[in-house]
Amino acid sequence: MSQQTKRHYKLKHLLNSGRCLSTRYLLTELGTFAATLKRDLAFFCHRLNAPLIYDRIQRGDRLELDAPKVVHPMNCPVYGFSPMKSMRC
């Protein structure tokens, strides 16, 4: 199994927890760089149609549990965070 596949399985498991996950937490848990996390989140949103949202109040990403099964790609957040955003929390 490739590193990317392992990382995607771990990210899916973390997102399925139902919690709001900060960028810092995801970077630590996945042991990856911010650019890699950005690509992985974009992959989940645009290729897998995962209903990801960024919660500004809790400052983290989470799955929208009440979202429709098919999400239009334009409804997904744009993951273009700067290195400073990855250090917040």
Side-chain angles (χ1 to χ4, degrees):
M1 189 181 299
S2 72
Q3 289 295 326
Q4 180 182 21
T5 305
K6 289 179 185 177
R7 194 175 61 249
H8 284 178
Y9 274 113
K10 188 166 187 176
L11 180 57
K12 181 179 182 262
H13 175 72
L14 291 169
L15 291 171
N16 282 337
S17 70
R19 300 180 319 168
C20 192
L21 307 169
S22 70
T23 302
R24 177 181 285 181
Y25 177 77
L26 288 172
L27 289 172
T28 303
E29 286 296 311
L30 297 172
T32 189
F33 295 105
T36 304
L37 178 60
K38 175 183 164 184
R39 282 191 302 270
D40 288 347
L41 291 173
F43 174 80
F44 269 67
C45 189
H46 297 291
R47 297 279 176 104
L48 302 178
N49 289 326
L52 284 172
I53 62 167
Y54 179 78
D55 189 326
R56 289 181 183 214
I57 295 171
Q58 295 184 10
R59 299 169 111 185
D61 296 293
R62 63 181 172 88
L63 288 176
E64 182 61 50
L65 301 176
D66 298 328
K69 296 295 180 192
V70 178
V71 177
H72 190 276
M74 299 307 282
N75 293 339
C76 294
V78 177
Y79 292 100
F81 51 81
S82 66
M84 289 306 294
K85 181 179 173 193
S86 65
M87 300 310 290
R88 287 189 299 179
C89 294

